Structure formats: structure tokens, C-alpha cells
Amino acid sequence: MQSIVFMSESIINIRTLTTADISVLVSRFEAANWTKPASTFIGYIAEQQQGRRDLWVAYIDQQLAGYGTLQWESKYLPFREQAIPAIMDLNVLPAFP
């Protein structure tokens, strides 16, 4: 599992999202009144396994802060025509502005 750790006043850890993260993502976003069903992440992981999407999860001081995905073939035609990937579904919990 690839992981990037930044040291500042807080420890920021960005790593590849795995199935083990799904329940944490669903519960933390639900607690923030933001519905993120497990099926969304299961689909993302399937796309990651097919090489169509990359997924990352971010933790700050061991607390989930958010996640983001990179779609290698954009649905936006001008990007797709130039083989430009698209940042998709980038979400940060309100507790981490």
C-alpha cells in the first residue's frame, strides 16, 4: 500500500483507499450529514482494480479527513480527447477546512 506522510503541526497521511476504509468513510461522512453509501466505494475499488481510477484517503492525526479519486479516462470530452485524467469526487469532512 502506497502512503505519503507529511509532518507539520499535524501528521497528514495520504494513502491508497482499501476496502478496510469503507466503513470508516461511510460512518464519518454520515456523522457530518453527508451520505456516502458503501456501494459508491465498492464501485470505486472495482474501477481501481481495472486500472480506470485511483483512490486515496487522507488522515490527519489518525482521523479520517477525506478522500479523492482520479479517473484516468475523463467523461469530459475535451479532456478525454487529450488523454487528460480528471480529479473526481474530492471530499473533505467539515472538521478539516
Side-chain angles (χ1 to χ4, degrees):
M1 176 181 342
Q2 184 179 13
S3 183
I4 300 170
V5 178
F6 298 94
M7 303 295 282
S8 62
E9 292 179 17
S10 298
I11 297 173
I12 302 168
N13 183 4
I14 300 171
R15 62 171 174 73
T16 302
L17 190 149
T18 68
T19 55
D21 296 305
I22 293 175
S23 62
V24 176
L25 285 160
V26 170
S27 66
R28 288 295 311 272
F29 276 91
E30 187 175 272
N33 294 316
W34 201 346
T35 303
K36 297 288 180 180
S39 59
T40 298
F41 301 109
I42 292 167
Y44 287 167
I45 289 172
E47 289 181 16
Q48 179 173 257
Q49 292 169 342
Q50 298 164 1
R52 296 174 38 212
R53 184 185 299 261
D54 281 344
L55 313 166
W56 297 279
V57 64
Y59 284 82
I60 298 176
D61 294 329
Q62 299 182 351
Q63 293 184 47
L64 177 73
Y67 71 95
T69 78
L70 181 73
Q71 192 173 36
W72 288 105
E73 186 175 307
S74 176
K75 293 180 182 178
Y76 180 59
L77 184 59
F79 280 19
R80 188 171 56 243
E81 289 175 341
Q82 296 183 51
I84 299 171
I87 296 170
M88 302 293 295
D89 206 12
L90 176 62
N91 290 283
V92 177
L93 287 162
F96 301 94

